[in-house]
Amino acid sequence: MFLDTVLTRNPELVDAAAALHRRGEIPPDTYVMDLDAVEANAALLAAEAERLGIGLWFVVKQIGRNPELIRAVARHIPRSAAIDPAEARALHAAGARPGNLGHLVQIPRRALPGMLAWRPENVTVFDLANARAVSDAAREQDFVQDVLIRLEGAEGTVYPGQEGGVPLERLDVFAEAAEALGGIRIAGVTAFPCVLCDPESGRPAATATFDLALKARELLAARGHQDLRLSAPSATSMASLPLLAERGATHGEPGHALTGTTPLHALDPAQPEKPAYVYVSEVAHTLGDGRPALFGGGFYARSHIRHALLPRTGARLGVQGAPAENIDYYRLLDAPPPGSDVRLGDTALLAFRTQIFVTRSTVAVVSGLASGRPRLNGLYDAHGRAL
């Protein structure tokens, strides 16, 4: 999906990843992350958001919750949005300040006291039971916690496994009950996804769910709530920040923009954010019909992967589709043309949309590429733990 973009915009990363694998310094099934590019992307996003008057909470599930990358981003975007409790702990341990906890995954009730002790800027609640639990935990610590109400998404926009939220038609009843809780303050609303990239052009566009969030904020304002926040996550990037500002969002949540890997970046290599990772595998064996099999472990079902580059020969081979319900022990490539030389152990480089935290992959963090002095900083697992 991003192979042409990374070859055009960050060929140093491609060369460094191939060299690291060739020398045996990284194994197959490794994402090689360009630390300097991630930090430069964060700086770009922070400056544009400040210009537009939008706050940012950054997300790191897609880059493996890596502590080096978290610290690099936090130097420019200090606050984060933790997608689940494990991510919240990784972000906290790396020094990022909590901007929003509980979205997309609610904080388990028994984990609330410890996480509220960090004094997060916001906690998202999906229903009244969770609002009561946050209120009770905050009252025990003698403070009032700001909460964002998660709106139920518009029909046809909710991803399986992400169901939940307060329906717009029940928001008045929910708000009345939440206002009576002594440990929370309604600070705003959020929903997901509020922005998606057009599959043909890659351009970001508002969804019907964004419209619901705007209506919800109006309803809460009519009840007397002031200075309401509206976080409009998904596809937050340099290209979509003006859209958020135009529609009145107060916050965005950049994730893939930090690595230059939104759908728009696949179609337009000239986007400001620089592509910041490649995936490294190697030829594990060859089938009788000539198709090479790569080691798997890091292939994501929604990756839209198309081609693999074999640097030793410069060959580019198509990547064959694989059903999401199967484990990716291997991934097959198209058979090479007759006479092509594909060998056991050959390096394969790929670039596609990923969510590293759901893989078995290694993450290699490299720096110094732009200066011509590449350095392998360290190896980590897919959850940010040093190897």
Side-chain angles (χ1 to χ4, degrees), residues 295-353:
F295 289 106
F299 292 101
Y300 176 59
R302 295 170 58 211
S303 63
H304 302 289
I305 188 169
R306 294 190 178 94
H307 295 97
L309 173 67
L310 305 182
R312 185 179 63 80
T313 62
R316 280 180 65 153
L317 300 179
V319 179
Q320 299 195 343
E325 61 268 24
N326 288 64
I327 299 171
D328 65 328
Y329 295 112
Y330 301 103
R331 194 65 181 265
L332 293 175
L333 304 183
D334 292 342
S340 297
D341 180 24
V342 176
R343 301 175 187 172
L344 178 70
D346 269 352
T347 303
L349 299 181
L350 308 95
F352 50 85
R353 188 171 176 85

Side-chain angles (χ1 to χ4, degrees), residues 139 165 212 222-223 241 273 297 329 386:
R139 291 179 68 185
L212 290 180
R223 294 185 63 87
L241 282 172
E273 300 95 336
Y329 295 112

Side-chain angles (χ1 to χ4, degrees), residues 244-263:
L244 298 190
E246 177 186 326
R247 303 205 93 212
T250 63
H251 290 78
E253 300 183 12
H256 280 284
L258 297 169
T259 49
T261 52
T262 75

